Amino acid sequence: MTSMSPKKHLIIAPMIKKVHMERGSEVSVVILDFGSQFTQLIARAVRSLGVYCEIEPFSLDLQKLKAKNPKAIILSGGPASVKTRTAPKIGQTLLNWNLPVLGICYGMQLISFLKAGKLESGKAREYGACEIEVLENSGLFKGFKKGEKLPVWMSHGDSVGAIPSKGKITAQSQKCVVAFQYENLHAIQFHPEVAHTPIGEKVLSNFLFEIAGLTPNWKMEKFLETHQNQILDRVGNAQVVGGVSGGVDSTVLAVFLGKVLGKRFHPILIDNGLLRKNEAQEVEKFLKKEGVNLKVVDASHLFLKKLKGVSDPEKKRKIIGKTFIEVFEKECKKIKQAKFLAQGTLYPDVIESVSVRGPSHTIKTHHNVGGLPKNMKLELIEPFRELFKDEVRVLGRQLGIPSQVLERHPFPGPGLAVRILGNITLDRLDLLREADAIFIEELKNKSLYQEIWQAFAVLLPVQTVGVMGDARTYESVVSLRAVTSRDGMTADWYGFEKNALGRIANRIINEVPGINRVVYDVSSKPPATIEWE
């Protein structure tokens, strides 16, 4: 598809209609969601290989599923045990269709259960990095060698003790069966969709192209096409207010909607006093260059007043979300025919806050999705709700946004409120802002910023004894966090060289009065989350 200048409207309507006509009601791959936190990662991985897919609940009516005319089906993982009475299940009918099926983790166990294999609980628990051995260099493992040892990412308590009769084991670990094939059913215990399974893309590619015989024909450009059309149809002649936070997501959204809606788009940045150092000024300057007229509203005093004495992170998020909407509604009264609120919510925000399509476990509430009041007067528009950070950056490049803006590290919607553990005060915010700015400055000075997916400082609710200038101090502790990741769903801590980490710590302690100790967080996700709250 021919790309268009980012200064013009993105796509013309006839082209959008053509795309819908070409796709029709057919979907190349349907992913049935059994509640895994990684279900959308499967969709993201499939899309990145150029295959259009959709996620549906495991309970989707078979006739509706058949009407989509899928060429392949993927069964996701999930938190339940297949052997329990209340576990989400599908019937034999679906597995008897003449379609390739890939079962991942829980999906593998479900296939085994439905085809009279043997399941075991608690005997082969594996979490995190594991090594598997390839037994068959065909099917999912085409291109690998028999006996080859491969690193993968596991997350399971139950396992397959014996595969269905006439099936074939294709890979194993030291503890359990890792993969098997039964007719057109393919099953793997590890998660190919996560960044920490290096062979994952190849395994999925084998399933999609070698087994299912699909052709890569879907590109991210179509996302812009379809969503521009949807937004224009939904909005009509109404005005749209945009919530801009300063992060990559809301910045890309502001540029996108500015091009789609023109003067009917009214972006507003609420300075809640919880932003990074000089955040509001930098965002306003950039968007002005892009022809987007951003309005900055200083509401820091109001937010800090409502957060006074609040230490519980969930309460912080809800207060910030509620206050955010209150301020927005007040601003919207100044805009005639304002009906919609646009947010840059991403899928990781959604999947960790609410059960999406399947019975996934809630991890935490994000203010974008879980803290909005029921009587909110504005209707939400969330075009990026099913995308990941790296996909938003792809869209940003298509819109002509420079890399220095797109490659900024993620920043949580509630801002520094969830990076200050305990009570929030102006003094503590200033401490954290300065420490965080030094951390990021050093990463950029040493050309480390682009190697790291997210880096930030956290102010802890403790004080420790120190000695500075022969005097005893009793001051705050800052923890530094830096992780590598592809999408934020899994992450590993970044291994700094000793001298680099030492210089950062020395600068913070020497240049930020009130901090006398710096520590470094070496937790991966899972089991920890990237943010502390």
Side-chain angles (χ1 to χ4, degrees), residues 41 117 133 137 143 177 323 340 364 376 378 391 394 437 452 479 505 512 516:
L41 278 185
E133 179 184 359
N137 59 349
V177 175
T323 307
F340 297 93
K364 60 187 176 183
M376 188 180 69
L378 300 174
E391 293 179 316
V394 171
I452 296 168
S479 175
V512 186
N516 69 355

Side-chain angles (χ1 to χ4, degrees), residues 23 37 49 74 93 95 110 119 135 170 177 195 213-214 244 265 323 339 407 462 464 469:
R23 180 177 297 165
Q37 299 295 333
L49 289 168
I74 297 178
T93 303
L95 296 185
L110 183 58
L119 296 182
L135 302 181
T170 55
V177 175
L214 298 171
V244 177
F265 176 57
T323 307
K339 186 179 179 182
E407 298 305 321
V462 295
T464 63

Side-chain angles (χ1 to χ4, degrees), residues 30 32 56-68 94 97:
V30 171
L32 295 183
E56 295 289 351
F58 73 91
S59 56
L60 180 69
D61 180 79
L62 287 183
Q63 293 304 312
K64 292 181 179 180
L65 178 56
K66 185 173 289 188
K68 290 179 176 291
L94 188 149
W97 286 358

Side-chain angles (χ1 to χ4, degrees), residues 33-86:
D33 181 17
F34 290 89
S36 172
Q37 299 295 333
F38 300 147
T39 298
Q40 186 71 7
L41 278 185
I42 304 173
R44 183 213 162 280
V46 171
R47 291 198 301 254
S48 71
L49 289 168
V51 175
Y52 179 68
C53 64
E54 291 182 356
I55 300 174
E56 295 289 351
F58 73 91
S59 56
L60 180 69
D61 180 79
L62 287 183
Q63 293 304 312
K64 292 181 179 180
L65 178 56
K66 185 173 289 188
K68 290 179 176 291
N69 195 23
K71 303 301 185 294
I73 292 174
I74 297 178
L75 310 180
S76 83
S81 173
V82 175
K83 297 192 292 183
T84 60
R85 183 178 59 83
T86 58

Side-chain angles (χ1 to χ4, degrees), residues 117-412:
K118 180 182 177 182
L119 296 182
E120 297 177 341
S121 297
K123 293 185 178 181
R125 294 162 56 93
E126 293 173 302
Y127 297 97
C130 294
E131 187 177 74
I132 67 171
E133 179 184 359
V134 175
L135 302 181
E136 297 286 341
N137 59 349
S138 61
L140 294 177
F141 297 98
K142 183 177 180 179
F144 299 102
K145 298 177 181 179
K146 283 187 178 181
E148 188 173 358
K149 303 293 178 66
L150 302 169
V152 299
W153 190 271
M154 296 276 208
S155 183
H156 69 100
D158 290 356
S159 59
V160 174
I163 68 172
S165 176
K166 299 182 180 179
K168 178 173 62 175
I169 299 176
T170 55
Q172 65 184 10
S173 70
Q174 290 185 340
K175 291 187 176 183
C176 67
V177 175
V178 167
F180 72 84
Q181 179 181 348
Y182 177 86
E183 298 176 346
N184 63 332
L185 309 178
H186 302 260
I188 51 177
Q189 186 60 70
F190 61 91
H191 288 274
E193 70 273 24
V194 303
H196 295 96
T197 295
I199 66 166
E201 181 176 317
K202 175 61 176 173
V203 170
L204 288 173
S205 177
N206 282 338
F207 175 71
L208 297 172
F209 306 128
E210 300 295 333
I211 296 171
L214 298 171
T215 301
N217 57 10
W218 187 80
K219 297 181 180 180
M220 282 297 293
E221 285 90 338
K222 291 187 178 180
F223 179 91
L224 290 177
E225 298 169 11
T226 57
H227 280 70
Q228 175 185 258
N229 195 39
Q230 290 171 3
I231 290 169
L232 290 172
D233 287 346
R234 184 180 176 193
V235 169
N237 295 321
Q239 305 293 308
V240 178
V241 181
V244 177
S245 67
V248 173
D249 317 323
S250 65
T251 301
V252 173
L253 183 68
V255 175
F256 172 51
L257 292 180
K259 296 180 187 296
V260 173
L261 298 171
K263 293 183 179 180
R264 287 190 293 139
F265 176 57
H266 306 270
I268 299 174
L269 189 153
I270 302 297
D271 187 352
N272 54 17
L274 307 170
L275 302 178
R276 290 172 285 199
K277 188 175 181 180
N278 299 327
E279 186 98 54
Q281 299 93 316
E282 291 174 1
V283 175
E284 184 178 19
K285 181 179 179 181
F286 165 73
L287 289 179
K288 185 177 181 179
K289 286 183 179 180
E290 291 293 312
V292 180
N293 187 23
L294 177 70
K295 181 177 182 179
V296 178
V297 179
D298 185 358
S300 55
H301 178 74
L302 176 63
F303 277 84
L304 292 180
K305 180 181 178 181
K306 293 198 173 189
L307 288 167
K308 185 177 181 180
V310 178
S311 59
D312 179 80
E314 284 295 286
K315 289 183 179 178
K316 288 179 185 177
R317 292 175 185 273
K318 291 184 183 298
I319 288 171
I320 292 167
K322 186 174 184 295
T323 307
F324 173 80
I325 295 301
E326 288 175 355
V327 175
F328 251 88
E329 288 186 329
K330 182 178 179 181
E331 290 299 317
C332 286
K333 290 179 181 178
K334 305 173 185 177
I335 303 171
K336 294 181 179 179
Q337 294 184 311
K339 186 179 179 182
F340 297 93
L341 167 63
Q343 291 191 146
T345 307
L346 300 191
Y347 190 78
D349 301 335
V350 177
I351 197 64
E352 290 189 344
S353 300
V354 292
S355 293
V356 179
R357 298 186 177 90
S360 58
H361 284 180
T362 297
I363 304 299
K364 60 187 176 183
T365 298
H366 286 258
H367 90 283
N368 283 16
V369 292
L372 301 178
K374 293 180 180 179
N375 63 344
M376 188 180 69
K377 295 181 176 64
L378 300 174
E379 295 182 39
L380 278 178
I381 294 178
E382 298 175 309
F384 303 160
R385 188 179 175 88
E386 301 217 342
L387 296 182
F388 288 85
K389 183 72 66 176
D390 59 325
E391 293 179 316
V392 170
R393 288 184 170 124
V394 171
L395 296 181
R397 283 191 285 273
Q398 293 173 3
L399 292 167
I401 299 175
S403 60
Q404 61 265 32
V405 175
L406 292 177
E407 298 305 321
R408 291 191 72 193
H409 289 180
F411 189 61

